[in-house]
């Protein structure tokens, strides 16, 4: 075949973003997860957050429950909250031994002064503790709306360096983004990520259906862009704060803009309005599309 006859076009057909979605819970969400479990596909990845006011025993119980219910637990580890290398070893031994954990998600955390030897997620990854305890995949954060302490270019270089460090240690990197409302911006960010040669799987953070005031409260807490124009595209009017909103328009837009060139990619749901509401929305949306 002549060179000019070779088909070099990219497959632009729509991709199934909702196949193999993932979810996020806190240590307090165990009963809600148990109630919703029959409607969640077996093997679904479920992240368990690491909040500063939680008891570690409660977090471990939630991680064990995820496994007992037939799902894949992904514990969050907040690097600056880890008091010592010994404490990290103990925690990793517990989650791997008690819940068969093979994947985790590492963040820096919100502490200005680290409690122990890890000043950020990169330092924890470099410690060697994760692979020593049999962790096979490590998630790191992506920030379509930017990061309060880094320039956009710094965000890209740090993300690329983390993914490379994880791969060099024999583990598989994946990226989970902070939730966002602006589907246009999310799609552009993901396209930029692929053009920069970062090939890791990406989970795009999606807010589950919730009260509008609840969504805005979490957006303010997490530094998520929520201008009037962005919220309007999402389906929220700042003049009408009563009622609730779901991610229909956001997911519609992402499905229309993402294609094979953005793969591997899926959705990661933050159930701010409750697990049952989020699973009901996912089920209904899949039935309608």
């Amino acid at each position: 075949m002549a060179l000019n006859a070779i088909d070099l076009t990219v497959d632009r057909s729509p991709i199934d973003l909702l196949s193999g979605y993932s979810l996020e819970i806190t240590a307090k969400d165990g009963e809600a997860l148990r109630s919703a479990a029959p409607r969640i596909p077996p093997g679904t990845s479920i992240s368990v957050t690491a909040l500063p006011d939680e008891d570690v025993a409660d977090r471990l119980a939630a991680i064990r429950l995820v496994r007992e219910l037939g799902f894949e637990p992904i514990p969050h580890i907040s690097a600056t909250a880890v008091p010592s290398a010994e404490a990290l070893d103990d925690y990793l031994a517990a989650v791997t031994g008690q819940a068969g954990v093979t994947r985790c998600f590492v963040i820096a955390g919100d502490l200005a002064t680290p409690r122990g030897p890890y000043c950020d997620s990169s330092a924890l990854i470099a410690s060697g503790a994760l692979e020593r305890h049999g962790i096979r995949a490590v998630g790191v954060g992506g920030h379509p709306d930017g990061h309060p302490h880094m320039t956009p270019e710094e965000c890209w270089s740090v993300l690329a360096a983390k993914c490379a460090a994880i791969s060099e240690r024999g583990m598989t990197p994946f990226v989970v983004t902070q939730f966002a409302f602006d589907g246009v911006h999310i799609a552009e960010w993901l396209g930029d990520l692929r053009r920069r040669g970062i090939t890791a799987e990406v989970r795009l953070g999606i807010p589950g259906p919730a009260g509008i005031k609840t969504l805005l409260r979490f957006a303010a807490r997490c530094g998520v862009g929520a201008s009037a124009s962005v919220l309007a595209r999402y389906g929220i009017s700042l003049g009408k704060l009563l009622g609730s909103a779901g991610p229909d328009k956001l997911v519609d837009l992402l499905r229309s803009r993402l294609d094979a060139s953005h793969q591997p990619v899926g959705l990661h749901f933050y159930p701010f309005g409750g697990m049952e509401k989020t699973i009901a929305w996912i089920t209904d949306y899949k039935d309608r599309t």
Side-chain angles (χ1 to χ4, degrees), residues 103-191:
R103 291 187 276 173
C104 65
F105 179 77
V106 182
I107 58 172
D110 298 326
L111 297 179
T113 302
R115 291 177 181 165
Y118 310 114
C119 61
D120 55 24
S121 55
S122 296
L124 193 147
I125 292 166
S127 73
L130 299 173
E131 65 266 34
R132 189 167 62 248
H133 285 274
I135 299 299
R136 296 200 293 265
V138 180
V140 294
H143 303 276
D145 281 336
H147 192 285
H149 305 303
M150 290 189 287
T151 66
E153 196 55 42
E154 286 172 337
C155 281
W156 287 121
S157 62
V158 168
L159 180 58
K162 287 179 185 178
C163 289
I166 292 165
S167 295
E168 289 165 3
R169 291 182 168 277
M171 299 176 289
T172 301
F174 63 95
V175 179
V176 182
T177 75
Q178 178 59 275
F179 79 93
F181 295 119
D182 190 343
V184 173
H185 194 185
I186 294 170
E188 290 174 349
W189 176 89
L190 183 56

Side-chain angles (χ1 to χ4, degrees), residues 230-255:
V230 166
L231 291 174
R233 281 201 294 271
Y234 185 79
I236 294 175
S237 168
L238 290 178
K240 298 179 181 179
L241 297 183
L242 297 178
S244 61
D248 299 69
K249 290 185 177 181
L250 172 57
V251 176
D252 285 346
L253 190 149
L254 290 174
R255 291 179 70 235

